[in-house]
Amino acid sequence: MTKRIFTTILLLCAVLYPSGRASAQQIDSLTLATGDLEAISRTLPDEYLDTVQIKGSKDINDYSLLGFAYGVDLTTTLFNPQKYGNKMGFRPNYLAVFYTHHEKMFRFIPYFAIQIGAEYSHSGFSFDKESKETLDGISSLKYSLAAIPAMAQIHVDMKNFKVMAMVGAYAGYRFGLEMTAPEPEPDPEPEPQSFQISGRDVELKDPTFMDSFRRFDYGLRGGVGFGVMFDPVEIHLGALVRWSWSSLYAPDYYSKYYYRFAYPLDISIYASFNFQLNKRTGNTTSMLKKKAKSIVYGED
């Protein structure tokens, strides 16, 4: 029964192809209405249907890409307690290389891919001069990040176009730290800061940002993209969001009782050139018709 159902579906696809064989002529004489589906399967004898080999395709969208990306980073930082002078920065020279392997999820859904890569990007923060806000006397900070992202991708392929959505995680290392400070203003000697906890005064230590700067970074990575395919080359345009879960500094470096956090949030906008490492196949209508014709009639 299962074989008869699958054969019926394949014959529906194959009927659009002209053929001089007797079985095709019988099918062409039928009206493809809902009530005629069973009639199509009854047209061919069981002896013929038993010779039809129904094999699941293992190569639908099963191919690999090697891509090289270039773009820019839009950077900011989420502070807690919040700082209102923080603005988004523009950092050029986002570089990345990605390996993408397309495969069927659960061996059934042909819209899945796994993507891993290596990235060189930038992050940091900058305060408006008008706000006069600083972080321990620092008005802007910039650093480079080397990261390894790993993401799951859902994609929808057409003949020459595709749309993509990615989500995953990353791990990286911060380096190349650059800081700037505002022009000093003549102020009287500041008094030591202190506050009271449980009836006792606690004097804050002199904060040293560099001593508490965290080098290792990790967090979430995801985004969307659009691709144009000229086999064996694909050109992708996309945007990736990187949300760090590693604070720029140890939360208790300023005070053991007064925690502070700073989580970078960046957007990488890029264009990439991708090279297909093996032949791309797909589940377009024309490909399904050709595959059905080959299975039913034994033609290439």
Side-chain angles (χ1 to χ4, degrees):
M1 181 60 70
T2 302
K3 180 178 288 188
R4 183 179 293 276
I5 294 173
F6 278 99
T7 305
T8 301
I9 297 173
L10 292 171
L11 291 175
L12 284 173
C13 297
V15 70
L16 299 179
Y17 283 83
S19 176
R21 301 194 179 194
S23 58
Q25 293 174 355
Q26 292 173 347
I27 295 172
D28 290 337
S29 66
L30 296 173
T31 301
L32 297 180
T34 304
D36 293 326
L37 294 178
E38 185 64 23
I40 294 175
S41 62
R42 290 199 302 269
T43 302
L44 301 177
D46 290 341
E47 291 78 7
Y48 174 76
L49 295 178
D50 289 339
T51 63
V52 177
Q53 300 295 322
I54 307 297
K55 297 181 179 180
S57 175
K58 297 182 179 180
D59 59 355
I60 293 180
N61 285 326
D62 186 3
Y63 72 106
S64 298
L65 286 174
L66 182 63
F68 302 89
Y70 179 82
V72 299
D73 292 305
L74 304 178
T75 67
T76 189
T77 300
L78 304 178
F79 290 96
N80 186 10
Q82 186 174 356
K83 288 185 173 291
Y84 296 96
N86 186 25
K87 63 180 182 180
M88 180 165 286
F90 177 85
R91 316 288 188 186
N93 299 328
Y94 166 81
L95 301 171
V97 56
F98 288 106
Y99 171 78
T100 307
H101 176 66
H102 300 77
E103 62 181 24
K104 290 189 290 184
M105 182 185 293
F106 310 122
R107 298 186 178 182
F108 176 72
I109 304 175
Y111 309 113
F112 180 72
I114 298 175
Q115 186 177 79
I116 60 174
E119 295 178 319
Y120 169 76
S121 59
H122 308 280
S123 188
F125 62 83
S126 180
F127 296 114
D128 288 315
K129 293 182 179 179
E130 293 76 12
S131 69
K132 297 184 179 180
E133 284 201 75
T134 64
L135 176 68
D136 297 340
I138 300 170
S139 60
S140 68
L141 179 144
K142 174 185 175 181
Y143 64 88
S144 300
L145 176 68
I148 299 177
M151 296 178 287
Q153 182 188 101
I154 299 295
H155 60 97
V156 178
D157 293 11
M158 288 148 276
K159 185 175 181 180
N160 295 109
F161 305 95
K162 72 191 305 183
V163 291
M164 304 161 286
M166 297 80 72
V167 65
Y170 77 94
Y173 183 77
R174 299 164 176 157
F175 63 97
L177 188 64
E178 298 179 10
M179 298 179 290
T180 59
E183 291 294 329
E185 297 181 1
D187 287 328
E189 186 71 20
E191 297 182 0
Q193 301 179 32
S194 65
F195 59 95
Q196 193 174 66
I197 296 180
S198 302
R200 56 191 176 88
D201 289 335
V202 180
E203 185 172 324
L204 301 178
K205 66 180 181 180
D206 181 23
T208 305
F209 177 81
M210 285 297 297
D211 292 342
S212 63
F213 183 71
R214 288 183 167 178
R215 297 288 181 177
F216 290 97
D217 190 11
Y218 62 91
L220 294 181
R221 190 71 155 144
V224 295
F226 171 81
V228 181
M229 296 179 284
F230 305 98
D231 297 343
V233 176
E234 299 184 14
I235 300 175
H236 295 176
L237 300 176
L240 291 170
V241 177
R242 181 176 59 236
W243 180 21
S244 175
W245 285 5
S246 174
S247 178
L248 285 176
Y249 41 76
D252 61 348
Y253 91 93
Y254 188 74
S255 170
K256 297 297 182 182
Y257 305 95
Y258 182 60
Y259 281 20
R260 305 193 306 180
F261 303 89
Y263 297 108
L265 179 64
D266 310 310
I267 301 175
S268 301
I269 301 175
Y270 68 91
S272 66
F273 290 87
N274 303 269
F275 302 93
Q276 298 169 1
L277 301 182
N278 54 310
K279 184 178 177 61
R280 179 178 70 91
T281 60
N283 59 344
T284 63
T285 302
S286 61
M287 291 179 179
L288 286 177
K289 290 179 182 178
K290 185 175 181 180
K291 189 176 292 292
K293 184 178 180 181
S294 174
I295 293 175
V296 175
Y297 300 118
E299 297 180 355
D300 295 331

